[in-house]
Amino acid sequence: MFKRLPESEAQLNAHPVALKVNGMEVFCREGDSVAAALFAAGLLDCRDTPVKGVPRGPFCMMGVCFDCLVEINGMPNQQGCMVLAKPGMNIERQLGAREVQT
Amino acid sequence: MSASTKESISNQRHHKGVYDALVIGGGLVGSAIAFGLRQEVDHVAVLDEGDVAFRASRGNFGLVWVQSKGMGMPAYGHWTVSSQRLWSVLAEKLEAITGLEVGLEQKGGLHAVLTEHEYESRVQFMNKLIEQPGMIQYQWKMLDRKELLDMVPGIGPEVLGASWTEIDGVANPLKMLRALHTAFDVQSVDYLPEHPVADIHFKNNIFEMGTPHGIVRAKKIVIASGLGNQLLGNQIGLSIPVRPQRGQIIVLERTKRMLQLPFATLRQMDEGTWLIGDSQEEAAYADDVVGLPILATLANRAVRTIPKLRDVRVVRSWSALRVMSKDGFPIYEESPQFPGAFVATCHSGVTLAAAHALRLAPMVVEGKLSEEMAPFSTRRFNVQATT
Amino acid sequence: MSQVSNCEVAIIGAGPAGMAAALALTEYGLDVVVFDENPAAGGQIYRGITSSPLRDRPQILGKDYWAGEPLVKKFQACDAQKIHEAIVWAVSQQTSDFAPSHFEIGYSVNAEARLLHARHVLVATGAHERPFPIRGWTLPGVITGGAAQTLLKSNAIVPSDRIVLAGCGPLLYLIAWQYLNSGVKIDMLLDTTPKGRVLSLWPYLLDFVRSPYFLKGLNLVREVNSKVNVVKHVSELAANGVDALESITFKTGNQERTVEADHLLLHQGVMPNINLAQALGITLNWNDVIKCWEPVADIWGNTNVERVHIAGDAAGIAGAWAAESRGRLAATDIAFQLGKLTEQQRDTVAVKLRHDYVAVTRGREFFDRLFQPPVQFRRPTGDTVVCRCEEITASQVRETVKIGCTGPNQMKSFLRCGMGPCQGRFCAVTVTELIADERNVPEQDVGHYRLRFPTKPLTLGELAALPQTEDSIKAVVRLKKPV
């Protein structure tokens, strides 16, 4: 698991950002990327791969590995580490290949 | 690991003597022909260039397409349909030998039209095509918007219809290449990369190809090296006028399978990615440059065809050089000066793969092209051969 | 419709090289736009410096990190236009006649594609972690050393439970030291530097001793060695687990051990982020010391593509200080090429910059050789994943070479390896090495994936909204259907 150092925890408590992650309410700090928020919330993996359906989580945290793909507010295949967590964001696990939106 | 002892794979040959047949060019055209040759004779080789070459095959859209083909040359219509009919045989043979499937889907194909003008032009064109004297007849239909919507839910409001035929289809060109090369391995075809051919000589009824790794000999040869055919054709007394024509395609990320029927310029692959094509530019040899306006036009048309693709992401674009003959039709010819030496070039390497493997290759083995191939010779250009 | 604007110099990347260049160029009076993917400047090395929660305990991240703040502040205050959270996906030669400029830069902000025209481009896209292909490296619970650093700097988030660090190179020890400073307990550090290597590098040692990194590095390593269970000369490594990391197996000498773990931080060096450079047409050379592809550039950062310069780690790994020097050198040469300086003025300014550059890169020979990733961690075998995106294994790649696949582009065609969204960033070097291994030829001869724009994804809708031309429409919509 990941944990926050006291400073991070304090900032979260002072200005919490409320997210929904796979239906659950999660709080993170202003300035956290979605991927960081997921790690701090206890999730190590955020998607199942399209080819073999195996679980993956963020790997590089800088936008080059594309392993941190999640669905954000209904938009699939978003890189969690490149998106700042915003209040009310709805984050869902990316289950394999995305759908074409209807 | 010593770099000085270059015992690279490209030097390993199963057969050390004179090959029964040899193909120059390891792309879709050359590989299909080589595969076909191997089903008829024992010792076959393919001489190929290295990793970075003008490989038209890598830009192929993968259509196994009949509609639109043959305007101005009905023989091409026939040749195309003959290949379409044999394609499942080729696919089965490949699967039996290699265990690999090549993504063949022959459920029909569509050519969309987005304006009234396009609609009318298309109807006129297809009618004229089929009405040509000597043209092979097949069923096709101009679908109106409602009929098209039944077949492809999700079609955009601007799409007024599409020409449709049941006999069109698609395959996966990269899987094709891989299957063919795997078949070479299984059947001991000597696929020799890094063997560009500098010259061809004819001595004692044997063809001798000069390569950086020495001379390779064969009783019969087929030159199928795409844009390289011009220079090599000269070596066997044939003038092969081919020029590069750039085509650019856009590749979209994998999605769950949504589009079951292919459009001529928009299809979803068996593994879920999407291909959008196709452009035609006379761009000389600049196959490594992708122009933004062309990508914008390609993207724009695709979005108008299936609007839901709007938020699907472009993961890469590709640019490759089609091998275009003077009139756009294939060239198949045996050298009158050097019987046993053949040239094969076309820009529909996937569609014609079955004809190449199962009809052209046996002709090569027999030592002559059948009468039906006459329209494909360069004599139609009235060019003088140079030695 | 998308917006198009103009500038004289476009800089891609706001790390130390990009920032230093922007400062110099604006001082010369040039109109500069700087793109960066992150919300704030700093690149990777100074990531999060303007917003880090750890500001009040600077000893955690260390002096070298905070020393970057003045540069960032100066950059923020300078006249360059900064476009943050911008994904640059294309830099193409002008293909239409809009304005008298040379490059068309396609980029996206907030899922909207835009174009910028620039006369001159500076690629300062930095570096990223090199792949570390061991069995299980794709398991949740395994992240890179750089990822751990980002989490620490930007978010003050650290792993808990059982933590193992593995690999080689200064960054690994730096993160270990930073973790010690923040009270994080590290269970083990598995150092893969081969036995005897330090001694074998004695010819380079003198230079290293004279380098600015020597004492600094020595102290840091000494401290980590004294407080962390460091296992040296680890020759084999694998991560085990079904859906997540459960344990790590490693070998040192003749001894094989398995330890339970929740986190594995992997790091064996960084490599230039070459995708944009390569798609632009910049030639790449294989750097056989640090075993990766490097753009070819001179001391000014000139490349084989006219009016494109490259600076910083994107041009070759040399660290943050060297990146600043190279950034300034590039800016000086660009200013000269754009007529703001005479050649003499340029050369005069360059004297000090080159002197600085030499000083901060002294000892790199030793460094690079010492931390060269060991061959078994560059040339995997068996079912170790090579292409993470398409889930292709080492044995698949090796088998495909055996059927005659001579290079990475054919490999891509045959296996789809390199066709995923990362566009080869995490597999290109491994594929090149595996092909070189199977064919027994040098990596330089094997070559690299050919890359084209877009080098980062954008939506079809974004692309569809960009300007078209008469030519482009003619090329695509052909009513007279070809054969």
Side-chain angles (χ1 to χ4, degrees), chain B residues 51 69 254 287 297 314 317, chain C residues 390 410 452-453 458 472 483:
Chain B
D51 191 51
K69 308 267 179 87
R254 269 201 186 79
D287 83 325
T297 303
V314 175
S317 70
Chain C
E390 296 287 320
Q410 277 198 298
R452 292 171 166 81
F453 300 117
L458 71 158
S472 74
V483 299

Side-chain angles (χ1 to χ4, degrees), chain B residues 29-343:
Chain B
V29 176
S31 297
I33 294 173
F35 175 78
L37 289 170
R38 180 64 185 92
Q39 311 318 306
E40 310 278 325
V41 296
D42 289 331
H43 303 296
V44 177
V46 177
L47 301 181
D48 203 5
E49 290 184 285
D51 191 51
V52 181
F54 292 119
R55 293 191 172 277
S57 298
R58 289 196 204 134
N60 199 297
F61 211 67
L63 300 179
V64 182
W65 217 245
V66 168
Q67 68 171 293
S68 314
K69 308 267 179 87
M71 181 67 102
M73 191 195 276
Y76 183 50
H78 274 269
W79 183 238
T80 301
V81 172
S82 79
S83 191
Q84 174 267 331
R85 286 177 182 157
L86 284 171
W87 232 100
S88 52
V89 175
L90 175 63
E92 275 157 29
K93 269 195 208 287
L94 276 171
E95 188 160 1
I97 293 168
T98 66
L100 298 170
E101 56 83 32
V102 296
L104 176 67
E105 290 170 23
Q106 287 184 303
K107 301 184 284 186
L110 297 157
H111 183 109
V113 289
L114 300 182
T115 65
E116 285 292 349
H117 183 40
E118 282 182 34
Y119 190 105
E120 273 144 33
S121 295
R122 188 72 190 157
V123 173
Q124 271 175 33
F125 175 84
M126 285 302 292
N127 280 330
K128 204 165 152 217
L129 176 73
I130 300 286
E131 281 161 12
Q132 290 180 110
M135 179 63 185
I136 191 160
Q137 301 298 296
Y138 54 85
Q139 297 277 50
W140 77 278
K141 186 166 193 280
M142 193 67 192
L143 303 174
D144 63 25
R145 187 181 159 68
K146 187 179 171 307
E147 292 167 305
L148 182 57
L149 208 52
D150 283 339
M151 280 183 139
V152 185
I155 209 84
E158 285 180 66
V159 183
L160 298 182
S163 60
W164 150 264
T165 163
E166 225 173 39
I167 61 176
D168 279 341
V170 286
N172 186 318
L174 300 181
K175 283 188 180 176
M176 253 305 270
L177 263 179
R178 182 180 173 196
L180 288 168
H181 282 238
T182 305
F184 293 162
D185 189 50
V186 171
Q187 297 190 313
S188 304
V189 167
D190 274 338
Y191 170 74
L192 304 173
E194 313 274 336
H195 277 68
V197 173
D199 46 55
I200 304 172
H201 295 283
F202 192 56
K203 272 194 197 125
N204 304 323
N205 278 332
I206 302 283
F207 291 97
E208 298 190 339
M209 274 58 64
T211 80
H213 299 278
I215 295 181
V216 185
R217 296 175 173 79
K219 294 180 193 155
K220 296 204 173 63
I221 62 172
V222 181
I223 301 175
S225 55
L227 294 170
N229 280 355
Q230 197 144 15
L231 279 177
L232 288 173
N234 284 341
Q235 301 272 316
I236 56 165
L238 286 176
S239 185
I240 310 287
V242 287
R243 70 182 193 282
Q245 187 196 67
R246 186 167 68 196
Q248 298 187 52
I249 63 175
I250 290 173
V251 183
L252 303 183
E253 62 186 342
R254 269 201 186 79
T255 74
K256 295 205 161 56
R257 190 74 192 257
M258 181 201 142
L259 183 65
Q260 301 294 341
L261 291 172
F263 287 92
T265 55
L266 174 64
R267 60 169 294 205
Q268 187 173 17
M269 306 294 284
D270 45 345
E271 23 79 1
T273 56
W274 294 72
L275 293 191
I276 296 168
D278 62 317
S279 66
Q280 289 187 347
E281 313 150 71
E282 309 295 326
Y285 284 83
D287 83 325
D288 56 353
V289 176
V290 170
L292 293 187
I294 290 234
L295 294 184
T297 303
L298 288 171
N300 180 272
R301 206 165 162 87
V303 157
R304 286 155 69 201
T305 308
I306 300 185
K308 287 181 213 166
L309 292 178
R310 182 163 280 129
D311 69 12
V312 179
R313 295 173 324 163
V314 175
V315 287
R316 68 183 177 281
S317 70
W318 208 244
S319 180
L321 300 174
R322 283 187 199 85
V323 183
M324 267 303 171
S325 68
K326 231 189 206 173
D327 54 9
F329 295 114
I331 298 172
Y332 304 112
E333 189 161 3
E334 183 175 12
S335 166
Q337 234 180 314
F338 302 100
F342 298 80
V343 164

Side-chain angles (χ1 to χ4, degrees), chain C residues 87 128 161 168 200 214 287 339 362 399 439 455:
Chain C
I87 313 284
H128 57 79
D161 310 314
C168 60
S200 72
F214 176 64
N287 180 324
R362 187 170 290 132
E399 283 313 307
R439 288 182 55 199
T455 45

Side-chain angles (χ1 to χ4, degrees), chain C residues 36-70:
Chain C
D36 193 82
E37 290 182 348
N38 295 314
Q44 300 311 319
I45 187 105
Y46 303 128
R47 197 171 173 130
I49 207 166
T50 53
S51 59
S52 173
L54 297 176
R55 179 174 291 277
D56 292 338
R57 285 200 284 166
Q59 67 276 16
I60 289 182
L61 295 175
K63 272 199 299 241
D64 282 344
Y65 174 77
W66 293 106
E69 197 166 18

